[in-house]
Amino acid sequence: ARAEEKVNSDFIAARIEQAWSSRQRMGLSGSCRVVFGDADFLPGLVVDRFVDAKDGRSVLSVQFLTLGMERWKEMVLDTLATVLAPDGIYIRNDVPIREKEGLEQWKGPHGKAFRTDLLIQENGLLLHVDVAGGQKTGHFMDQVLNHAAMQRISRGRRMLDCFTHTGGFGLHAAAYGAKKVLGLDISEEAVAQATRNAATNMLTACTFKVANVFDY
């Protein structure tokens, strides 16, 4: 930003539009991270887009992590609704870091309530996501390319996926030919979702267990 530029609604809207244009140029037009906070010159803002592989519904999961970005909340949400035209927006402000900024933790739909469960496609896999549950925005959309990188190292290997959450790295390892995959997470809900994802993709080499990784 130039020193003479004013931070106003046009300024914020332009950066959101730039972020989405950047994702589209990279070929990430479906389920993806739309706004990466500082990397998109929008510190304190995270936006993930989820598109249902069956019915085409699109949902945005949004986090406002700083007081500075919170002050632009309504304008940010209006811009996201205009630029991406989602079927629903879910706010995931249930993160402790907000309290350091003097902000309360909360989560819920923006506007009317809607179904928060989706079946998305990621690197050829079908993954169940609930934007109202799970960690952060419901699924780690910032890891899509890292998950894809498992293709280079997985074939014929025995893999241990620590802190697996809903199975991202482990599922991809199995899909890319791993001989055996064990995923661990302390969250029963996450392990149930990972197990469901393995069954959906018929990845029989995957097993997920509830465990504290540090004690395992």
Side-chain angles (χ1 to χ4, degrees):
R2 298 185 302 273
E4 65 272 17
E5 276 188 294
K6 290 184 177 179
V7 178
N8 54 29
S9 57
D10 290 340
F11 179 93
I12 301 290
R15 293 203 163 177
I16 291 173
E17 290 169 356
Q18 287 172 357
W20 179 227
S21 294
S22 174
R23 302 295 96 78
Q24 291 177 300
R25 285 196 304 273
M26 294 171 65
L28 300 174
S29 57
S31 298
C32 67
R33 177 150 294 181
V34 176
V35 177
F36 278 83
D38 300 58
D40 286 307
F41 305 105
L42 290 164
L45 179 65
V46 176
V47 181
D48 280 347
R49 181 175 190 253
F50 299 97
V51 180
D52 194 282
K54 288 189 174 180
D55 61 23
R57 284 182 302 132
S58 67
V59 169
L60 299 182
S61 183
V62 185
Q63 289 183 318
F64 296 89
L65 303 176
T66 63
L67 177 60
M69 192 55 69
E70 178 84 8
R71 288 174 171 166
W72 295 98
K73 183 178 70 174
E74 293 307 318
M75 196 285 305
V76 166
L77 293 171
D78 287 346
T79 301
L80 290 171
T82 300
V83 173
L84 288 109
D87 295 298
I89 297 177
Y90 200 88
I91 311 297
R92 285 298 305 267
N93 285 343
D94 53 331
V95 282
I97 193 69
R98 280 174 55 88
E99 295 181 357
K100 294 183 182 294
E101 301 273 324
L103 302 169
E104 65 177 347
Q105 292 190 56
W106 66 278
K107 66 178 180 178
H110 174 64
K112 67 176 193 263
F114 58 90
R115 274 180 50 212
T116 59
D117 59 305
L118 300 99
L119 183 67
I120 69 166
Q121 189 172 57
E122 181 186 324
N123 301 319
L125 292 176
L126 291 172
L127 304 176
H128 295 275
V129 172
D130 183 357
V131 297
Q135 297 178 31
K136 300 190 177 180
T137 62
H139 183 70
F140 296 156
M141 293 308 301
D142 57 333
Q143 297 297 317
V144 171
L145 297 180
N146 289 333
H147 289 160
M150 295 298 293
Q151 186 170 15
R152 300 198 302 268
I153 61 172
S154 298
R155 184 160 300 280
R157 302 282 186 174
R158 296 174 66 234
M159 311 289 284
L160 176 63
D161 181 8
C162 297
F163 315 101
T164 187
H165 190 226
T166 51
F169 283 102
L171 293 165
H172 279 78
Y176 294 139
K179 182 167 58 177
K180 186 175 182 180
V181 177
L182 173 61
L184 305 176
D185 201 282
I186 200 168
S187 166
E188 291 185 11
E189 181 182 336
V191 167
Q193 193 79 304
T195 301
R196 184 184 182 197
N197 284 331
T200 297
N201 293 279
M202 294 180 287
L203 297 174
T204 55
C206 275
T207 302
F208 296 98
K209 293 179 63 175
V210 178
N212 184 331
V213 168
F214 298 108
D215 296 333
Y216 190 76

